[in-house]
Amino acid sequence: MPLLCAERPLAILHSIIIHCYVILGSAFFGSLAIAVSFFSKTGNAVHHVAQVWGRSILLVSGVRVHLSGLEPSSQYGSCIYMCNHQSNYDIPVLLGRLPVQFRWLAKAELFKIPIFGRGMRGAGYISIDRRDRNSAFKSLDKAAATIKRGTSVMIFPEGTRSADGKLKPFKKGGFVLAVDAGVPIVPIVISGTYEIMPKDRLLVRRQSVHVRVLPPIATSEYTRDTKDALMARVYQSMSACQSGATSGGQECSN
């Protein structure tokens, strides 16, 4: 269980304030996003609401984000952003500081929640049914069609947060989606969020975060049969960048 009792009183107070804000702020901005979704045909306005939500959490938390490597959005077109997952803070960091439109992939069950599900559909989030293998692949087919129509998505290829901040093995679903959609993968490496709030911890620490956007990796030469090679290439690119960031190097390239 996460504990705060061993920490300094000011650190505990700081964390309590942040957690209270996250709860209240999420309720406010979530309601606003749902309302805006009824009037937004593209979902872009809803994403702007989410960006403000992310920035507000970073501001209250005292987190500074340094972004590097991002090209103008026209350079990418429709793409799949893949980012390592160190902490719950990855979400406000990506929403608040990446100046591009993207949508999250979300499990199908969330779309069944009244009003909230309508807001997610209005935002253009993509439903993935993971109940069984056949349903999952049908969901990926639908997601690929959505991406081909011009929607960029964000995926955490590890599937869950890293317990130690290090890059974990990737799940294959995102790479099936990438080769089916035929759009480039844009790897993103976050460093610093693990120190802010590791998995299974409640204490929030002030910490600078670095977000490094790596060059796009084309998927046109890959198929479902060769997706493992694509997965290995993306993993190698992100792993080298993460290792370089840890050691102070600049090994962030394909």
Side-chain angles (χ1 to χ4, degrees):
M1 295 291 292
L3 298 175
L4 294 179
C5 58
E7 304 293 340
R8 293 176 298 173
L10 287 179
I12 296 174
L13 178 62
H14 176 246
S15 296
I16 291 173
I17 292 172
I18 293 170
H19 286 297
C20 289
Y21 175 79
V22 170
I23 294 171
L24 296 175
S26 296
F28 172 76
F29 285 108
S31 300
L32 180 60
I34 291 171
V36 170
S37 73
F38 285 95
F39 306 97
S40 176
K41 294 181 179 180
T42 63
N44 288 351
V46 181
H47 184 74
H48 288 314
V49 173
Q51 286 179 313
V52 176
W53 169 81
R55 291 168 191 162
S56 69
I57 290 177
L58 299 178
L59 179 63
V60 172
S61 304
V63 173
R64 293 185 178 182
V65 179
H66 305 278
L67 176 65
S68 63
L70 185 69
E71 299 291 340
S73 58
S74 59
Q75 291 287 101
Y76 304 124
S78 177
C79 65
I80 296 178
Y81 297 100
M82 290 193 177
C83 184
N84 62 313
H85 199 7
Q86 292 192 331
S87 165
N88 282 331
Y89 265 78
D90 296 335
I91 293 174
V93 165
L94 292 171
L95 283 172
R97 290 295 177 254
L98 275 185
V100 295
Q101 284 282 340
F102 62 84
R103 305 292 180 262
W104 298 96
L105 268 68
K107 59 183 180 180
E109 291 81 358
L110 295 177
F111 288 80
K112 298 178 181 179
I113 301 175
I115 302 178
F116 182 73
R118 171 62 181 82
M120 292 179 66
R121 285 190 291 272
Y125 288 2
I126 299 173
S127 171
I128 296 294
D129 191 343
R130 300 182 296 184
R131 291 173 298 180
D132 60 72
R133 184 179 178 86
N134 290 333
S135 295
F137 276 106
K138 288 180 180 178
S139 297
L140 290 174
D141 289 340
K142 293 179 180 178
T146 301
I147 294 171
K148 288 178 181 178
R149 292 195 294 268
T151 300
S152 294
V153 301
M154 177 71 71
I155 296 175
F156 293 124
E158 295 163 282
T160 187
R161 287 169 291 161
S162 171
D164 58 8
K166 297 179 181 178
L167 195 65
K168 299 304 180 185
F170 290 167
K171 305 293 184 182
K172 296 183 179 182
F175 298 90
V176 172
L177 178 59
V179 297
D180 285 357
V183 297
I185 292 172
V186 178
I188 298 175
V189 175
I190 286 181
S191 57
T193 52
Y194 177 78
E195 288 75 15
I196 294 174
M197 189 179 180
K199 190 174 182 179
D200 299 326
R201 292 279 292 179
L202 287 176
L203 189 75
V204 179
R205 295 183 174 90
R206 290 185 176 89
Q207 170 76 27
S208 293
V209 174
H210 292 268
V211 179
R212 297 169 174 87
V213 182
L214 310 188
I217 296 176
T219 63
S220 56
E221 62 185 82
Y222 297 94
T223 66
R224 285 193 177 192
D225 291 335
T226 60
K227 66 182 179 298
D228 287 354
L230 174 63
M231 183 166 62
R233 182 178 176 187
V234 175
Y235 187 94
Q236 182 180 19
S237 175
M238 294 174 65
S239 179
C241 183
Q242 189 179 56
S243 298
T246 302
S247 64
Q250 301 295 324
E251 301 178 35
C252 292
S253 61
N254 287 330

